[in-house]
Amino acid sequence: SAVISQKPSRDICQRGTSLTIQCQVDSQVTMMFWYRQQPGQSLTLIATANQGSEATYESGFVIDKFPISRPNLTFSTLTVSNMSPEDSSIYLCSVEERRLGTGNTEAFFGQGTRLTVV
Amino acid sequence: QQQVKQSPQSLIVQKGGISIINCAYENTAFDYFPWYQQFPGKGPALLIAIRPDVSEKKEGRFTISFNKSAKQFSLHIMDSQPGDSATYFCAARISGSARQLTFGSGTQLTVLP
């Protein structure tokens, strides 16, 4: 399975600043995704990071607030811009791989970035 | 139609007991149902998954039961251990769809020693 490294693992940021989260995968993957997990909540898809084109955002998420880069098939960044305390959350990078044997496409997650905005 | 409803929100089980977490869905186009386990400070990890062409899948102490007519599926953890204490998420997707997984709200399981 894909090994996903996310940096930073946690950060405390001032209101109004921006934070860029990095996601590195140990293999080339077509699909990369960014999720938000608010405290005690489920995972909400922010956007699909497309290599070579703009990210595809889910309803309620916009590029100005969450700009995403995907320069190649192993790397992506998510920026949380002009942060407010409401942005305090865990941000997760995810990739999909087709599992040999079953043929199922499985989702794998990084360890997450715990962001606190003060 | 994309919602997956999960219950209970939290669950406390004695060591050796059976933990049961339930999920229900509306969209009959869903055809893949994984369960994820998440420990504090970690990302979710795939635990076990099922397709609707079978009614049950077992892997070790973990079993998924699937009821297609009722649009429900559940996770059973047999002989629950303190190390199983984690948050569990059910999810669903449409194979071949560009959409990613739809997650349930999560169940925080505590297994008492």
Side-chain angles (χ1 to χ4, degrees), chain A residues 24-98:
Chain A
Q24 179 75 52
V25 189
D26 68 343
S27 59
Q28 292 186 338
V29 292
T30 305
M31 307 292 281
M32 291 183 76
F33 306 89
W34 287 98
Y35 284 85
R36 182 173 72 183
Q37 185 178 22
Q38 293 178 306
Q41 302 289 317
S42 187
L43 287 77
T44 301
L45 181 64
I46 297 172
T48 301
N50 302 307
Q51 198 269 328
S53 64
E54 265 194 13
T56 305
Y57 289 84
E58 296 298 306
S59 175
F61 298 96
V62 295
I63 187 171
D64 289 347
K65 176 67 176 177
F66 297 101
I68 287 171
S69 78
R70 179 87 193 272
N72 57 53
L73 293 175
T74 64
F75 188 78
S76 178
T77 67
L78 169 75
T79 299
V80 186
S81 303
N82 188 25
M83 288 183 285
S84 67
E86 292 71 34
D87 295 320
S88 297
S89 189
I90 298 172
Y91 293 86
L92 292 152
C93 172
S94 173
V95 303
E96 288 194 343
E97 268 194 346
R98 186 169 295 276

Side-chain angles (χ1 to χ4, degrees), chain B residues 8 26 32 34 39 43-44 51 64-65 67 76 78 82 84 113:
Chain B
E26 291 294 325
Y32 178 65
F39 293 105
R51 290 197 176 275
I64 301 178
S65 297
N67 186 331
H76 297 236
M78 313 300 286
D84 297 330

Side-chain angles (χ1 to χ4, degrees), chain B residues 46-98:
Chain B
L46 179 67
L47 187 62
I48 187 172
I50 197 169
R51 290 197 176 275
D53 52 347
V54 296
S55 60
E56 186 176 281
K57 182 174 182 180
K58 184 176 181 180
E59 289 184 3
R61 296 185 293 108
F62 300 92
T63 300
I64 301 178
S65 297
F66 188 84
N67 186 331
K68 189 174 181 178
S69 61
K71 293 186 286 186
Q72 295 175 347
F73 59 109
S74 60
L75 175 69
H76 297 236
I77 305 175
M78 313 300 286
D79 187 25
S80 299
Q81 300 295 313
D84 297 330
S85 297
T87 301
Y88 293 81
F89 293 96
C90 63
R93 74 181 302 162
I94 304 169
S95 295
S97 167

